[in-house]
Amino acid sequence: MTACSMTGFARGEGSDDRIRWTWEARSVNGKSLDARLRIPSGWERLDPIVRKSLQDGFKRGNFTINLDIRPIGGKGVVRINEGLLDELVARCEAFGERPRLDTLLTVRGVVEAAEEDDGDLSGDDERIAAIESTLTDTLARLAEARSDEGGRIASVLRDHLGEIETLVEEAETCADAMPEAIRNRIMAQLDELLPKDGALASERLAQEAAVLAVKADVREELDRLKAHIEGARDLLREGTGIGRRFDFLCQEFNREANTLASKSAALDLTRIGLNLKACIDRLREQVQNLE
């Protein structure tokens, strides 16, 4: 299965002997599934059809669905703005002029081109089925566009996970992360800071240093990071509907990286921790696009 993005666009057109229609479907990131529909007046019976199609086909995203319906060429009508025409006639007579219809009809706004009233056409079940079929095709293309974009995002996520894995391996081999190195560093610091007269027993100091070394040990955080990497790769293999879970996993990634950086007392390990945080932020930015 392929991971899906929440971003996409699709367009579909159809027609019969009376009208021509066009569907446009757009989607962007969203925490849930929300739809904004623009359906022409008189065609409201399509509204629940669109909403159900979205719920059946998608899990998350903010959708904008537009339907444009126009009469077939030659089906337009011409209307006379009688109110404006009466006003012009009255003005001509007020000035003592004899109104000429051929002249008045050339005044802008008197003659109006209009579309044939198609409100009654929405009652034709066969026509509604044809429009719905175009909608189905349009949403299928939208899903395909989201899937294609999701594939590109998944490739970027795999690269980020590889970078995180490399940093974790680097941290594992860092001498400053080894328990013995941590213990020796703490003992050296205590030796510099404490009095030389033996006021504090060396055995007690060794015990305290061991406790501090355990607290500074980052192996547990590194193990968790490795587990999170495998979990993220499993999600990518699963593909669909992984956005929320992947976002939560990114929070866990970030928590372990923060702990690692806070425990570090060595420049090399601190550098690795900061690089991990930066890479995890980039990972999470991309994850926000997944359905």
Side-chain angles (χ1 to χ4, degrees):
M1 301 293 288
T2 303
C4 288
S5 168
M6 286 188 283
T7 302
F9 172 80
R11 178 186 176 94
E13 298 179 346
S15 64
D16 59 16
D17 61 328
R18 300 289 300 277
I19 60 172
R20 179 181 298 107
W21 59 85
T22 302
W23 287 102
E24 285 190 351
R26 293 179 173 84
S27 67
V28 295
N29 297 356
K31 292 184 178 180
S32 58
L33 195 156
D34 295 309
R36 181 181 181 185
L37 309 185
R38 294 174 181 170
I39 306 295
S41 177
W43 297 86
E44 287 80 5
R45 63 181 292 191
L46 288 166
D47 189 295
I49 295 175
V50 176
R51 295 186 184 277
K52 185 176 187 307
S53 296
L54 289 174
Q55 291 170 357
D56 290 345
F58 304 93
K59 298 182 182 297
R60 285 206 302 163
N62 288 326
F63 293 82
T64 300
I65 310 295
N66 297 334
L67 173 62
D68 181 56
I69 296 179
R70 298 179 183 274
I72 295 293
K75 296 295 184 181
V77 295
V78 174
R79 294 188 179 131
I80 304 297
N81 188 333
E82 295 182 1
L84 178 58
L85 182 60
D86 290 343
E87 183 181 347
L88 292 174
V89 169
R91 286 182 179 274
C92 288
E93 292 175 345
F95 286 105
E97 296 287 340
R98 182 180 178 181
R100 292 181 48 137
L101 184 61
D102 59 341
T103 301
L104 295 180
L105 290 177
T106 63
V107 176
R108 183 176 181 181
V110 174
V111 178
E112 300 173 326
E115 295 179 354
E116 185 179 33
D117 183 11
D118 56 10
D120 60 327
L121 301 181
S122 66
D124 188 323
D125 290 341
E126 185 176 345
R127 179 172 288 112
I128 290 294
I131 296 175
E132 183 180 353
S133 177
T134 306
L135 169 67
T136 300
D137 292 341
T138 302
L139 294 183
R141 286 194 289 272
L142 177 63
E144 184 178 354
R146 286 163 55 111
S147 180
D148 290 344
E149 177 67 13
R152 289 187 285 271
I153 293 173
S155 178
V156 174
L157 293 177
R158 291 188 185 94
D159 290 342
H160 288 328
L161 289 171
E163 186 178 349
I164 292 172
E165 186 173 45
T166 298
L167 288 169
V168 169
E169 291 172 352
E170 188 178 342
E172 283 186 311
T173 60
C174 179
D176 293 322
M178 299 297 105
E180 186 64 26
I182 296 171
R183 180 179 178 280
N184 291 338
R185 185 169 60 250
I186 293 172
M187 290 296 293
Q189 291 172 340
L190 291 174
D191 188 57
E192 290 180 5
L193 296 174
L194 294 177
K196 308 296 183 180
D197 57 5
L200 293 176
S202 60
E203 183 178 345
R204 177 62 184 276
L205 288 176
Q207 291 174 350
E208 294 298 327
V211 171
L212 293 174
V214 169
K215 290 182 179 180
D217 187 3
V218 297
R219 287 177 299 177
E220 186 175 351
E221 285 70 30
L222 295 177
D223 287 341
R224 289 200 187 106
L225 283 168
K226 288 189 289 185
H228 295 337
I229 292 169
E230 288 307 309
R233 286 172 173 159
D234 287 342
L235 285 176
L236 288 176
R237 283 189 286 268
E238 181 179 339
T240 58
I242 62 173
R244 290 183 184 276
R245 287 177 290 162
F246 211 138
D247 186 53
F248 175 76
L249 189 57
C250 285
Q251 297 177 40
E252 296 301 308
F253 266 112
N254 199 52
R255 181 177 292 108
E256 301 304 333
N258 282 334
T259 304
L260 186 147
S262 66
K263 282 186 174 184
S264 173
L267 290 178
D268 284 347
L269 198 56
T270 299
R271 174 186 58 79
I272 293 172
L274 294 176
N275 287 340
L276 269 172
K277 286 170 58 65
C279 190
I280 291 167
D281 283 344
R282 293 194 296 272
L283 179 78
R284 192 173 186 186
E285 284 178 8
Q286 294 296 328
V287 167
Q288 301 303 310
N289 299 313
L290 292 181
E291 185 179 35

